[in-house]
Amino acid sequence: MAHQPPHHNLAGLYDACSGPVYRLAMMLCGSSQEAEDLCHDVFLRYWQQDRYEPSRGPVLAYLLLLTRSMAINRINQRKNRWQLVQRWSEQLFPRAVASPQASAEADDLAERVRAALAAIPTNQREVLEMAYYEGLSQSAIAERLQQPLGTVKTRSRQGLIRLRELLIDFRSTP
């Protein structure tokens, strides 16, 4: 990073390109808060990676491509996280049905889930909480806990079975 070519003037580059980058981020993300975050991350990554080749075309084109790929990654992560939460909820409440009092029940349920989580063994609880609240995959959990993947799978399975038992009375109440 000793040689500072002209395109390394980040402030100047930001002034020149942040408008179009932000507009594209806004189109892809749909919220100004997320678009601002993404815009910030794009310039940060540009700066850290230093992969832009001036010979390949205008820096703005490169930044817009970066914006697009980073936005898609974020959207996919969010989707995966949501699918994961849905999968966990289905496992917890396979026969749950929507009803008029569903929203009051959902609050009650969240409370019961917290109480049930507190009642299961710590090693099972931490695995379930990482998956449920942080949306981590089982392999990401294994990495974070520095445990074999098989151990994490066993703990999450045992934890879910235990949670289900603790919550079953809630499901069967009229």
Side-chain angles (χ1 to χ4, degrees), residues 13 17 46 52-65:
L13 181 74
C17 300
Y46 167 84
Y52 167 65
E53 296 289 338
S55 58
R56 287 199 186 152
V59 66
L60 177 59
Y62 174 80
L63 285 168
L64 292 174
L65 277 172

Side-chain angles (χ1 to χ4, degrees), residues 52-113:
Y52 167 65
E53 296 289 338
S55 58
R56 287 199 186 152
V59 66
L60 177 59
Y62 174 80
L63 285 168
L64 292 174
L65 277 172
L66 196 56
T67 305
R68 185 177 169 274
S69 70
M70 286 173 75
I72 289 168
N73 285 346
R74 283 181 173 213
I75 290 160
N76 287 340
Q77 273 176 336
R78 215 171 39 225
K79 204 162 61 196
N80 293 345
R81 186 162 302 165
W82 178 239
Q83 284 166 349
L84 190 77
V85 168
Q86 284 179 316
R87 219 172 29 246
W88 285 89
S89 332
E90 279 160 22
Q91 284 187 281
L92 282 173
F93 315 108
R95 290 182 295 280
V97 242
S99 63
Q101 71 270 31
S103 68
E105 278 181 8
D107 293 343
D108 191 18
L109 183 57
E111 208 37 66
R112 283 170 188 256
V113 168

Side-chain angles (χ1 to χ4, degrees), residues 153-165:
K153 287 184 170 175
T154 303
R155 287 179 186 175
S156 66
R157 193 171 54 246
Q158 290 170 341
L160 271 176
I161 291 167
R162 190 77 197 91
L163 264 189
R164 228 149 80 210
E165 289 165 357

Side-chain angles (χ1 to χ4, degrees), residues 4 8 10-11 15 19 56-57 62 64 67 69 76 91 96 100 102 110 114 123 128 130 137 139 146-147:
Q4 296 273 305
H8 265 94
L10 198 62
D15 290 344
R56 287 199 186 152
Y62 174 80
L64 292 174
T67 305
S69 70
N76 287 340
Q91 284 187 281
R114 275 194 291 274
N123 60 7
L128 291 186
M130 284 180 190
S137 66
S139 51
Q146 296 184 312
Q147 292 283 344

